[in-house]
Amino acid sequence: MKNIIVVDMQKGFINDNNKFLIDKIEEYLKNNNFDNVFFTRYVNHINSPFVKLLNWNGMIDKKEQEFAINFDNYNNASIFTKTGYGLSENIIKTLKEKNISEIEIVGTDIDACVLCIAFNLFDNNIKPIIIKDLCGSSSSKTEIIKSALAVMERQFGKENII
């Protein structure tokens, strides 16, 4: 079974540093026959730790939450709404109910949600496979991507970063 999770490819997270991902991910999805395609949608709210602890009010507006990738093209697509960096217990439960033992990860931000989701999956005995050319960051600091990949190679195995 071939599975993929597309992380937070929403208009509010896309900028000049990662907008190249839109076409690349759409092309990848079109050229591969996935049994399951999952999209995460991050939704912020006024009581979130992002607002309370970081004073960050992004992704509260519905327009920011809109997908930059057209997921309507995928009959087998599911959307997971999340309010933090990672996946909730209910989302993990859904993946396990589908007997998913490994899943490709693409999207943004590699130094935050992509990384956290990879840890969530690993901690729940689901092998994360990071497609490094299809992951990016909204940060202008290019070393962040290299650092995140180095952490992933160490934690999940170099063979799982492709």
Side-chain angles (χ1 to χ4, degrees):
M1 187 168 20
K2 192 167 180 171
N3 309 291
I4 190 166
I5 188 163
V6 181
V7 179
D8 297 352
M9 289 298 296
Q10 297 165 255
K11 292 179 180 178
F13 287 130
I14 302 300
N15 61 26
D16 288 342
N17 300 311
N18 61 4
K19 68 181 175 184
F20 72 94
L21 291 172
I22 297 169
D23 291 337
K24 287 181 81 169
I25 291 173
E26 285 182 338
E27 187 71 20
Y28 189 72
L29 291 172
K30 190 180 345 176
N31 290 331
N32 287 275
N33 188 22
F34 289 100
D35 296 298
N36 293 291
V37 178
F38 304 102
F39 289 85
T40 65
R41 172 188 290 146
Y42 172 73
V43 176
N44 200 3
H45 55 89
I46 58 170
N47 292 315
S48 78
F50 295 96
V51 173
K52 287 185 169 186
L53 303 177
L54 298 177
N55 199 29
W56 182 71
N57 295 304
M59 301 303 288
I60 291 176
D61 185 277
K62 296 285 185 204
K63 289 189 182 218
E64 291 178 305
Q65 297 171 15
E66 291 175 3
F67 287 103
I69 290 179
N70 184 2
F71 62 86
D72 292 329
N73 296 330
Y74 311 101
N75 295 334
N76 58 344
S78 298
I79 299 170
F80 293 140
T81 298
K82 61 190 193 68
T83 58
Y85 289 117
L87 303 175
S88 69
E89 287 182 35
N90 286 337
I91 294 171
I92 294 294
K93 181 180 176 187
T94 299
L95 296 175
K96 288 185 169 259
E97 286 171 353
K98 292 181 175 285
N99 294 316
I100 292 174
S101 60
E102 70 177 48
I103 190 166
E104 295 181 15
I105 306 173
V106 302
T108 200
D109 280 344
I110 193 169
D111 52 300
C113 295
V114 170
L115 180 61
C116 186
I117 287 171
F119 275 111
N120 289 151
L121 295 168
F122 184 87
D123 286 347
N124 285 280
N125 208 27
I126 300 171
K127 180 166 124 180
I129 309 212
I130 294 86
I131 312 299
K132 65 181 177 183
D133 291 340
L134 300 179
C135 291
S137 178
S138 57
S139 173
S140 61
K141 298 178 181 177
T142 56
E143 66 273 9
I144 281 181
I145 293 173
K146 289 179 185 176
S147 296
L149 286 168
V151 168
M152 290 177 177
E153 281 184 11
R154 181 170 185 263
Q155 300 304 322
F156 311 122
K158 192 172 186 174
E159 67 278 5
N160 295 317
I161 315 299
I162 56 175

